[in-house]
Amino acid sequence: MATGILGIGRYVPDKVLTNLDLEKMVDTSDEWIRTRTGIQERRIADEKTNTSDMAYYASKEALENAGVRPEDIDLILVATVTPDMPFPSVACLIQDRLGAKNAAAMDLGAACAGFMYGMICAKQFIDNNAYKNILVVGVEKLSKITNWQDRNTAVLFGDGAGAVVMGQVSDGKGILSFELGANGAGAKDLYQDGRYIFMNGREVFKFAVRQMGESAVNVVEKAGLKKEDIDALIPHQANIRIMEASRERLGLPEEKLIKTVHKYGNTSSSSIPLALYDAVAEGKVKDGDIVVLVGFGGGLTWGAVALRWGK
Ligand code: UT7
């Protein structure tokens, strides 16, 4: 047996914030945002909807989609930099609400690469036969740590949640290879400065272009695959220019790059599962397809997975 994804769910808030809305809030333009980032609009959670609410909605759908009962979940891992409060964890809050009474629960922090870290941690427990079903969630309410007066960051971020249930899948399917990494020397380029996100955009951009391409190539090679075997590339949805650079590094045609950045912006740890959800729903990822997931984020951190979709 192998370890893979049994089901997937997501939640995005209804409220849409467009580039035109942002033009009225900061000194920016729809044209600048589109050409520099590829973002057209993003979703923003209302006052009443906290991070754990979004995580709960996405998780509920993932459990239903997987056909797994809440009491059969052994561990909940929630990747987030915007928990409801420092403690208890979002994982504990949703454990109770889901009725996952047999699950251990914790949050993990690897910023935008958090979902990759979560998936790869989950894989270890399942490979070891220690646990059977693990819920992995990427969720962010970035709007609460965004400085809406700072045009360097305000135009980039959005809110949302994606969740998967991981467990055993048949041989040849599931996770074929992975890579994780970190470089704490880059902590100064992307961090929460008091209440708000601070980012040295240029430096993060350079790192992201280099690292995403490299990690994607590494997991493909580790899985014994060729670049031509890839059916879908799902990079962290931070900036279309960074995403296109990793597509080019792999020599993939345009249609194999999965994009949601135009409609959700950068949703940090939830961007990869949100994009995977849409790719599956739209038939861009089908049973047996080879999918490469690759993320990077504050830390600096990065992570990638090559997997064969299906159970
Ligand atoms: O999840 C991981 C987190 N972060 C990222 O992935 C972000 C990585 N970095 C990026 O995506 C890009 O660096 C940005 C989109 C943040 C910025 O794009 P850039 O092409 O690197 O622009 P820049 O920072 O070099 O700024 C170019 C110009 C500057 O004006 P001057 O100095 O040339 O006059 C900025 O002040 O654009 C200006 N600028 C803006 N103008 C209009 C910066 N933000 C804006 C804005 N609207 N929102």
Side-chain angles (χ1 to χ4, degrees):
M1 296 297 278
T3 296
I5 293 173
L6 305 177
I8 184 163
R10 65 127 204 217
Y11 173 81
V12 287
D14 292 335
K15 186 183 168 197
V16 174
L17 184 72
T18 66
N19 291 349
L20 297 176
D21 297 329
L22 277 160
E23 282 185 358
K24 296 178 201 132
M25 297 160 67
V26 279
D27 178 17
T28 190
S29 67
D30 175 47
E31 208 261 328
W32 192 96
I33 303 170
R34 276 176 198 257
T35 52
R36 297 292 179 123
T37 73
I39 302 168
Q40 295 168 21
E41 57 187 45
R42 68 290 287 144
R43 301 298 180 95
I44 303 293
D46 62 25
E47 288 272 300
K48 293 190 300 269
T49 308
N50 214 330
T51 302
S52 64
D53 298 305
M54 295 191 282
Y56 168 72
Y57 302 137
S59 299
K60 208 165 170 338
E61 185 184 1
L63 285 167
E64 280 159 17
N65 183 246
V68 170
R69 295 179 309 168
E71 55 271 35
D72 293 331
I73 292 290
D74 301 303
L75 175 64
I76 301 174
L77 293 173
V78 176
T80 187
V81 296
T82 49
D84 297 30
M85 52 195 124
F87 71 91
S89 62
V90 173
C92 280
L93 299 176
I94 64 169
Q95 187 246 20
D96 178 50
R97 208 158 153 194
L98 290 167
K101 58 180 192 297
N102 299 311
M106 69 169 172
D107 290 357
L108 62 89
C112 305
F115 186 77
M116 303 313 302
Y117 269 72
M119 271 187 80
I120 294 160
C121 289
K123 173 178 157 55
Q124 313 311 316
F125 287 106
I126 297 164
D127 284 354
N128 285 337
N129 284 319
Y131 290 142
K132 198 158 172 274
N133 299 306
I134 301 182
L135 176 65
V136 181
V137 186
V139 57
E140 303 292 357
K141 189 174 179 181
L142 292 172
S143 57
K144 68 180 174 185
I145 61 165
T146 298
N147 179 352
W148 294 104
Q149 260 89 59
D150 173 18
R151 70 174 183 175
N152 292 306
T153 52
V155 302
L156 303 175
F157 301 111
D159 300 336
V164 295
V165 177
M166 291 183 60
Q168 284 194 336
V169 294
S170 33
D171 268 337
K173 293 202 167 162
I175 297 177
L176 306 172
S177 62
F178 71 85
E179 168 170 300
L180 287 178
N183 175 15
K188 62 184 188 323
D189 293 324
L190 182 52
Y191 60 95
Q192 190 173 342
D193 182 13
R195 173 145 182 224
Y196 298 124
I197 301 167
F198 168 84
M199 184 172 70
N200 181 347
R202 273 285 167 86
E203 281 308 309
V204 177
F205 190 95
K206 282 190 277 180
F207 152 73
V209 166
R210 192 183 63 246
Q211 193 59 52
M212 291 243 282
E214 203 170 300
S215 294
V217 168
N218 288 346
V219 292
V220 170
E221 281 174 4
K222 278 189 200 171
L225 298 167
K226 294 192 290 293
K227 293 172 187 169
E228 309 82 85
D229 297 326
I230 301 170
D231 296 298
L233 172 66
I234 307 187
H236 170 44
Q237 309 278 313
N239 183 320
I240 192 69
R241 289 150 60 210
I242 301 173
M243 295 161 57
E244 284 291 354
S246 40
R247 178 182 69 79
E248 278 163 24
R249 176 82 189 269
L250 289 168
L252 298 178
E254 194 145 334
E255 65 274 12
K256 292 192 174 180
L257 178 66
I258 306 297
K259 298 175 236 179
T260 56
V261 68
H262 59 289
K263 57 180 178 177
Y264 300 145
N266 178 351
T267 59
S268 188
S269 66
S270 63
S271 93
I272 291 175
L274 279 176
L276 177 61
Y277 182 99
D278 278 12
V280 173
E282 290 162 15
K284 292 179 187 160
V285 167
K286 301 175 294 296
D287 191 47
D289 278 358
I290 296 291
V291 184
V292 171
L293 311 177
V294 55
F296 69 92
L300 300 165
T301 52
W302 60 91
V305 149
L307 60 85
R308 190 182 292 278
W309 185 252
K311 301 188 204 177

